[in-house]
Amino acid sequence: NSSNVAVGMPNTANEECRAVQVARAFFQASTKLSDDNEDILPQEDGVDQKLSVFHLFSELFPEYANDKDRDGGNTGKSGLMRLQFNKIGYEMYDKEQSRRVPAVRAKPGNPGYGFRRARWRDTMGNGEDRRACETVLRTLGVSQERLDRIRQRISDFREEWNNVRRPSRPAGPGRPRGHKRANPSDPMESIDPLPELTGVLPMLSQGAGVVM
């Protein structure tokens, strides 16, 4: 109603729910759990590189993202903010503090937080990653033209992140660091790339066709 609009709230509960569905689907389509403990994706952007998962989401689905860096601090815009988006990511991945990812408002080299053992899918190949990505995005109702652009941008981020990511144990003196919560009880251990899609597809199909 008009009172909700006046205070900057979403027009309907469905609008907010749809943004959450799209964000969860974006994580499924663009990222996957890795067997390599070195893999991690950043939740924040650095000063020089803006390669966080949220940054790409806000580029590709601006209608569902409220990115103050892109929108000039427009507080009246609906959509998910970075904190809300990252919480959805932590439903799928453990949080890890690491110097491999940038820290917001901190000196370069200070540890930031990221999605543990998450990696970008290889969306431009002809394998399982591309099929998983296309399956989810088509369920959202994404057009083929937009789907192709999304796949290309995921690939761009994947390549650039692989080039700039720092190792967890750089050369030089220092004490070896153990991996945080690397144990068999890790809730992500049992999730495989394609079976993980089964939970999101029925939910998304109820609101399919909204995204162009």
Side-chain angles (χ1 to χ4, degrees), residues 1-192:
N1 58 40
S2 58
S3 62
N4 283 346
V5 175
V7 295
M9 295 176 64
N11 292 336
T12 66
N14 288 338
E15 181 180 334
E16 189 172 85
C17 181
R18 179 62 175 169
V20 171
Q21 289 179 344
V22 173
R24 188 172 287 121
F26 178 77
F27 269 103
Q28 299 277 4
S30 64
T31 72
K32 69 175 182 179
L33 179 69
S34 170
D35 293 330
D36 188 349
N37 278 321
E38 282 291 293
D39 280 323
I40 189 171
L41 291 178
Q43 73 164 31
E44 302 288 348
D45 291 307
V47 176
D48 300 323
Q49 292 101 13
K50 295 190 180 298
L51 296 173
S52 68
V53 184
F54 178 72
H55 191 75
L56 184 57
F57 174 73
S58 67
E59 172 190 325
L60 297 175
F61 294 95
E63 65 271 42
Y64 295 111
N66 184 356
D67 187 347
K68 63 181 181 180
D69 294 330
R70 292 185 187 276
D71 303 324
N74 179 12
T75 55
K77 185 178 186 294
S78 62
L80 297 176
M81 293 183 289
R82 184 185 295 270
L83 179 62
Q84 295 169 309
F85 177 84
N86 287 339
K87 283 183 177 180
I88 294 171
Y90 289 123
E91 294 174 5
M92 300 171 57
Y93 301 105
D94 243 349
K95 178 184 284 191
E96 180 177 6
Q97 188 174 26
S98 172
R99 287 184 172 82
R100 287 169 289 161
V101 293
V104 63
R105 294 182 296 277
K107 295 179 181 179
N110 280 9
Y113 286 97
F115 304 102
R116 177 177 176 264
R117 288 176 53 200
R119 68 182 305 169
W120 294 111
R121 290 189 184 274
D122 179 8
T123 53
M124 297 305 288
N126 291 317
E128 185 179 85
D129 284 345
R130 177 172 176 169
R131 290 194 300 272
C133 178
E134 291 180 343
T135 297
V136 174
L137 293 180
R138 287 197 178 108
T139 304
L140 282 178
V142 173
S143 67
Q144 186 61 47
E145 181 180 0
R146 188 173 183 181
L147 192 155
D148 290 341
R149 182 169 63 88
I150 291 172
R151 286 196 302 109
Q152 181 61 60
R153 290 300 289 144
I154 294 171
S155 179
D156 293 343
F157 265 56
R158 176 177 179 264
E159 183 175 349
E160 192 165 354
W161 177 242
N162 286 341
N163 288 335
V164 304
R165 189 188 71 182
R166 297 183 293 269
S168 60
R169 295 178 179 82
R175 184 178 56 182
R177 296 194 313 118
H179 291 292
K180 183 181 179 184
R181 288 186 292 184
N183 59 65
S185 64
D186 187 330
M188 289 300 298
E189 291 285 350
S190 61
I191 299 182
D192 297 317

